[in-house]
Amino acid sequence: MTASQFKTIGIFGRVNNPGVIETLKALIDYLRNLSQEMVVDEETASSLDDTTLKRVSRTELSQCCDLVIVVGGDGSLLHAAHSVIHNETPVLGINRGRLGFLTDILPQEMHQIKAILEGQYILEKRFLLNASVEHHGKILGQCDALNEVALIPDSVPHMNEFEIYIDDQFVCSQDSDGVIIATPTGSTAYALSGGGPILHPQLDAIVIVPMFPHTLSLRPIVIEGNHRITIIITPRNTATPRVSCDSQSFIHAPPGSRIHIEKKSQRLHLIHPKNYNYYASLRSKLHWGRKIHYSE
């Protein structure tokens, strides 16, 4: 075997179903057979009946390894991405979820990991967004998003009034449930269900998708990725919406708040096997039509 390009592998899984646990055990056995050094996120390891595993906290995982392998769906990879982004540790996903746009190795294709460890892989760098909520000069909170930053109603659905600025230039005002600000990675997630376009992951672009706007002429718009977006909740707004980052972090934005959204400097380093094909993934996950075979 060619020497591994990665000295230590970190293992992460959200063990919410028996299938994930089964695949985690198979992955650990596979890496042991390759004599690969590994560490396991302690929350993941707590669900595995193996006292020999080296365990580290989730916050330390990316500092202790050169590659993180995530077992689960895209939600699991999102959780891992938020843990590793500051060190830009590369991430590889084994899909035990439903769609799996980010986790593209199937459990029965674990043999592909050997080639990846030997350096045969495709590396993509996906950008994230950072959002901060400011109210009367005070920062109420901030969070990062690989998929999207969304302004959503609080516990009760409610129309919200707000204004959108791009690089301090006024764009529009809206009366709507909210708005989704998505990266190319997130264009196949929440933004897609809201009627937004699919952006190729290599595009340096952001899509703004209104959520149930009162004015039907409001449509999604795609802008260059380095623009800074500001959303102002008007002082007369009668509700307090929330800012959501990847549906993981929530920050209340009372009337008069300013929400600032811009690209984060660190990127997620996402690893795919050599045979990865983005368009094949779209066809498979979204059930697009297959290639037509015909004779001339």
Side-chain angles (χ1 to χ4, degrees):
M1 171 184 170
T2 305
S4 173
Q5 300 291 305
F6 305 98
K7 181 180 177 182
T8 305
I9 306 297
I11 298 176
F12 178 100
R14 294 175 69 192
V15 285
N16 51 3
N17 68 64
V20 170
I21 296 175
E22 176 186 339
T23 302
L24 280 165
K25 291 179 177 179
L27 172 63
I28 290 168
D29 288 341
Y30 183 82
L31 294 176
R32 279 174 172 160
N33 288 333
L34 296 178
S35 300
Q36 177 68 56
E37 185 177 340
M38 71 187 95
V39 295
V40 183
D41 159 59
E42 62 184 4
E43 291 183 40
T44 304
S46 64
S47 299
L48 303 173
D49 186 21
D50 190 339
T51 57
T52 65
L53 295 172
K54 182 179 179 181
R55 308 178 181 205
V56 295
S57 69
R58 186 159 299 179
T59 55
E60 296 175 322
L61 186 65
S62 65
Q63 302 171 22
C64 301
C65 61
D66 310 295
L67 169 68
V68 173
I69 299 181
V70 178
V71 178
D74 285 350
S76 300
L77 197 139
L78 283 174
H79 273 80
H82 285 261
S83 299
V84 307
I85 185 62
H86 294 291
N87 295 301
E88 296 189 332
T89 306
V91 177
L92 171 69
I94 298 178
N95 185 21
R96 288 300 317 215
R98 289 172 299 184
L99 286 178
F101 280 105
L102 300 173
T103 52
D104 44 35
I105 289 184
L106 298 176
Q108 62 268 29
E109 297 175 347
M110 206 170 291
H111 60 273
Q112 294 187 76
I113 294 176
K114 182 174 181 291
I116 289 170
L117 296 181
E118 294 172 351
Q120 300 176 49
Y121 57 81
I122 297 170
L123 175 64
E124 277 191 331
K125 296 182 180 181
R126 305 281 186 97
F127 74 81
L128 289 82
L129 298 174
N130 175 262
S132 63
V133 180
E134 175 192 353
H135 187 248
H136 297 319
K138 179 183 178 181
I139 300 298
L140 301 183
Q142 57 181 349
C143 55
D144 297 331
L146 176 62
N147 274 351
E148 75 281 314
V149 176
L151 178 69
I152 59 177
D154 205 348
S155 55
V156 178
H158 197 287
M159 295 286 277
N160 288 294
E161 183 184 78
F162 55 91
E163 296 177 337
I164 297 177
Y165 293 77
I166 297 176
D167 289 342
D168 298 323
Q169 293 186 1
F170 176 70
V171 177
C172 65
S173 61
Q174 287 191 26
D175 281 301
S176 66
D177 275 17
V179 64
I180 302 168
I181 313 294
T183 66
T185 301
S187 69
T188 52
Y190 194 15
L192 184 64
S193 67
I198 295 175
L199 305 183
H200 191 281
Q202 293 180 9
L203 286 175
D204 187 2
I206 297 170
V207 61
I208 303 174
V209 182
M211 296 172 58
F212 304 106
H214 191 268
T215 303
L216 298 181
S217 60
L218 282 170
R219 289 292 183 264
I221 181 174
V222 179
I223 65 173
E224 200 271 334
N226 288 315
H227 288 308
R228 187 173 193 253
I229 301 167
T230 301
I231 301 171
I232 299 177
I233 310 299
T234 62
R236 67 183 185 184
N237 195 56
T238 57
T240 297
R242 294 177 295 166
V243 174
S244 162
C245 288
D246 290 342
S247 299
Q248 295 183 12
S249 301
F250 297 92
I251 308 167
H252 283 93
S257 296
R258 291 174 176 261
I259 304 157
H260 303 290
I261 303 165
E262 58 188 338
K263 186 191 294 183
K264 191 173 177 64
S265 59
Q266 296 98 337
R267 295 187 173 227
L268 173 67
H269 291 212
L270 188 62
I271 284 182
H272 303 286
K274 272 288 189 180
N275 62 355
Y276 170 74
N277 182 308
Y278 175 70
Y279 302 108
S281 178
L282 289 180
R283 284 196 305 274
S284 171
K285 312 304 181 185
L286 301 179
H287 306 290
W288 286 358
R290 294 176 295 176
K291 185 175 182 179
I292 300 172
H293 296 281
Y294 58 92
S295 56
E296 296 182 355

